[in-house]
Structure formats: structure tokens, C-alpha cells
Amino acid sequence: MSNMSGLSLSACIATALFIGGCSSVSTPATDVSEVAESTTAQRVNQSYSGLLPCASCPGIETHLDLLSDGTYFLTETYQDRPEGQFSRLGRWETDGERLLLHHGHDNTLIYFATDNGGWLQADTQGRPIVSQLNYELSPLGWQPAEVSLELDGMLTYMADAAFVVECSTGQGFPVVMTEPWLDIERTYLASSSAGGSYLHTRAQVTLNWETPEEGPARHQLRFQQLKETLPATTCGSPLADLEHYEWDLVELDGITPDALQAMHTRPFVRFSGQQLSGHSGCNVLAGPIQLEGERLTLGPVASTRMLCQDVAEIEFRFLQLLEQASYSSLEGTQWSWYDEDMTRLASFRRKPVNE
């Protein structure tokens, strides 16, 4: 894109994050944090690719898709190796001039923004690689790759529609019902105790970016092979990732998202040790909480008794679920509560520390 050659370095890096482009020089860029923060709302889906060095093969074809919702897909194909393709998904964020690709709790890949709109791989010490070989991923616009991986998630099925919430990101994927789905459907129906309940499932899947007959384009999931189902379990509830944070209510069974969005005070909870506290939308609440593995026990919960007519229905439903919650599940940055039948009651979004 030669017409962009006169852009400043910071503007070019902003383009790397949100549009792609700029010159062909593969050097690390600097001072991008303010640009990244100020233009977060302008993020668009963006793809990158490059043929990176390989010690025992001709090269590693690397494809990276960054989605505007903070999810990424990374596929590495080792040339001249049978079954040499590996994919992963996770959450991404920027930190100054760095792109951080988080996978699981303790696995992070680091890249540095370059002035041609790409990303330069970091070495094992977290520094930009300086080499005559190519360690850069160049921008492609939006060209999402087909992704094949083993997925760990919460599967639900109701009214001939299936949906999976992936554990590490909390990202949801609608299921395309191909032939392998029939066996999974039978397994789900045999394991599920209530219509629309969730079942912890591990399976080999493919994900493709498609535009359905209704709704916007998004990744669609196709099951290839079921690995296992784990009834009465969830994605897990690590205390270190749950305690001491404030969790805003973003989903409540029986209440529309618009109704929650319109609330002047959004319900939230937080806990430390075995004490829960929070706000139900009108009243302050507090009570005991026990979290052992994925099992969740709340209450009895006490609250103040102010009457707020405009949020009475939501508050009543919210207080009800405190008595019904039996399972806890951390799905990406969302904390979900399920009842004894594994029906989802509510989901909470972790509020960033700086909010």
C-alpha cells in the first residue's frame, strides 16, 4: 500500500492492529500503547501469515487470525511432515508494542509490532528476534483459515440447535449438524438430565468462518470425533482466578440482555475466602459461599430491603438463583453458574482491575 508510506510509525502500528498495511521493513515498532488503547473500539478482524524457520523441516507455514472480540486462532503447518498441522485458540491483548497470545493459564506467545503492519516473533527471553531469517507475520486483511483442533467446552442442545462454549476463551460456537453429530447427539441425550442443559465435552472439531442464512458471519463448528463427555463437571473453577475480582452480571436466565443493559446499577458479586458480597441491582447482599472444585454452595444470603420498582423482576430472579446455583464454571473471562441439572442460571464478566 504505497500511499501509506508517509504515515508516522505510531499510525502505522495502529493500522497493524486494526486494518493492516504500511511498508515492507521488518523492524520492531515502539510506543504503541496509547494508540492501541485509544482505538480499541475500532478493532476489526485481521489475518497474518508467514513462512517461519524450522530446525527439522523446510519451514513452518504460520497463520494467525485476530478477532475483534479478543479471540485468536493460530495454525502452524510443518512442511514435509505428515500430520504436521497444529492449531490453537485463546485470548489476545496488546501491552505497549507487544502482542500477547494467551493459551491456557500459563502459556503466552509474544510478538512485536513492526512498521509494515506485521508482527515479529519474540525469542525465548521475550525479546524481538534479530536474524537474517524471516520471523515476521505479514498482514493479509481478513482471510480466516479453517482450524482443526481438540476442543474442551460446554455443549448444549435444544430445539434442533446445538452450541458449544469453549472453556479457555468463553467463546461460543454454533454447531453445524453433519454426520458425526448424530453419535454426539445420542450421547448428549443419554447424558443430559434436562432439555437445554450443558454437558462438558471434549472432541476433535473443525472451525470455519461462514455466513449463515440468518445472522452475521462467524465461526461455525463441525464435530469430527468425540473424545469424551464428563457429566456433572464443568470447565473448572480455579480459586486464584475467581477470588478478589468483581464480577458483573451479563446473562440471567429468564431475563433479556436488553433489560440487563438498561439497569442503572448492574448486579455484581465478589468473594474472598468463604464470604460472598455484592449488589442485586437495588440492594446490597452478603452471605457465605463454598466453592469446592466445580461444586458451588451459596447462602443463606442476606440483603437490604429497599424497593426499586423498575428492577424488581430482575432482582427477584437474581436472588432466586442464589438458592439454585450448584455448579461453577470459569469460561474465559466469564464465570457461569449452573443448577443441579446443569442448566445455566447466570454468567458474570470479570471486571478489569483498572475499571
Side-chain angles (χ1 to χ4, degrees):
M1 301 176 67
S2 59
N3 61 331
M4 300 180 68
S5 60
L7 289 177
S8 67
L9 183 59
S10 60
C12 192
I13 294 166
T15 303
L17 280 165
F18 309 108
I19 300 175
C22 296
S23 71
S24 59
V25 180
S26 302
T27 57
T30 57
D31 300 328
V32 302
S33 57
E34 293 183 4
V35 176
E37 291 172 4
S38 66
T39 53
T40 296
Q42 302 175 28
R43 285 179 179 171
V44 297
N45 299 334
Q46 175 69 31
S47 302
Y48 303 85
S49 73
L51 181 61
L52 305 188
C54 175
S56 57
C57 68
I60 306 172
E61 298 174 12
T62 305
H63 186 101
L64 173 64
D65 291 325
L66 299 182
L67 279 76
S68 60
D69 63 8
T71 306
Y72 79 85
F73 295 85
L74 180 68
T75 298
E76 297 175 307
T77 303
Y78 288 72
Q79 293 183 333
D80 293 349
R81 282 192 191 176
E83 300 182 354
Q85 186 174 96
F86 304 92
S87 295
R88 58 189 266 179
L89 79 160
R91 305 293 299 180
W92 68 272
E93 64 175 333
T94 56
D95 175 22
E97 75 274 17
R98 302 188 306 167
L99 170 68
L100 307 178
L101 304 182
H102 302 297
H103 179 69
H105 293 288
D106 302 312
N107 191 342
T108 299
L109 296 177
I110 300 174
Y111 291 83
F112 286 83
T114 67
D115 61 359
N116 76 332
W119 296 105
L120 180 66
Q121 188 175 347
D123 62 19
T124 56
Q125 303 299 314
R127 301 168 301 192
I129 293 178
V130 179
S131 173
Q132 296 298 314
L133 301 176
N134 176 61
Y135 286 91
E136 183 187 359
L137 302 180
S138 300
L140 297 175
W142 181 233
Q143 299 182 28
E146 178 179 276
V147 177
S148 178
L149 49 75
E150 185 171 314
L151 182 139
D152 183 15
M154 301 293 289
L155 167 67
T156 184
Y157 176 54
M158 190 173 186
D160 294 328
F163 193 78
V164 176
V165 177
E166 196 274 329
C167 285
S168 69
T169 62
Q171 184 76 359
F173 301 105
V175 175
V176 179
M177 295 182 182
T178 54
E179 184 175 348
W181 163 253
L182 298 177
D183 288 336
I184 296 168
E185 178 186 30
R186 285 190 284 268
T187 302
Y188 173 89
L189 294 174
S191 302
S192 178
S193 57
S197 62
Y198 282 77
L199 177 64
H200 190 185
T201 303
R202 295 187 177 125
Q204 189 70 30
V205 305
T206 58
L207 295 162
N208 290 277
W209 184 264
E210 301 173 20
T211 302
E213 292 184 4
E214 297 182 6
R218 62 183 304 177
H219 280 100
Q220 309 282 322
L221 183 148
R222 289 172 170 80
F223 282 100
Q224 302 299 323
Q225 181 184 6
L226 179 65
K227 299 293 185 179
E228 62 178 335
T229 58
L230 300 98
T233 68
T234 70
C235 293
S237 298
L239 284 174
D241 294 330
L242 291 170
E243 279 193 298
H244 311 300
Y245 289 99
E246 192 167 290
W247 297 87
D248 287 340
L249 184 68
V250 294
E251 180 185 349
L252 180 60
D253 182 44
I255 302 297
T256 66
D258 288 343
L260 286 177
Q261 191 65 35
M263 293 187 70
H264 178 69
T265 301
R266 181 178 289 272
F268 69 87
V269 295
R270 57 175 170 256
F271 78 95
S272 178
Q274 294 186 338
Q275 185 64 31
L276 178 79
S277 61
H279 200 284
S280 59
C282 178
N283 289 282
V284 176
L285 59 87
I289 180 174
Q290 290 185 345
L291 188 58
E292 298 178 357
E294 54 243 321
R295 294 295 299 195
L296 175 67
T297 305
L298 299 168
V301 174
S303 70
T304 54
R305 296 186 176 275
M306 292 177 58
L307 176 62
C308 302
Q309 192 65 42
D310 56 335
V311 298
E313 179 186 0
I314 295 176
E315 183 172 60
F316 176 73
R317 181 69 191 105
F318 182 63
L319 293 174
Q320 272 188 323
L321 75 87
L322 297 177
E323 300 177 0
Q324 299 170 336
S326 299
Y327 290 95
S328 164
S329 182
L330 183 61
E331 299 155 3
T333 58
Q334 288 200 166
W335 185 22
S336 295
W337 293 358
Y338 298 85
D339 67 12
E340 196 65 41
D341 293 325
M342 207 59 79
T343 300
R344 183 180 292 193
L345 300 172
S347 290
F348 303 83
R349 179 183 65 86
R350 188 174 71 192
K351 182 178 291 185
V353 176
N354 59 355
E355 282 192 12

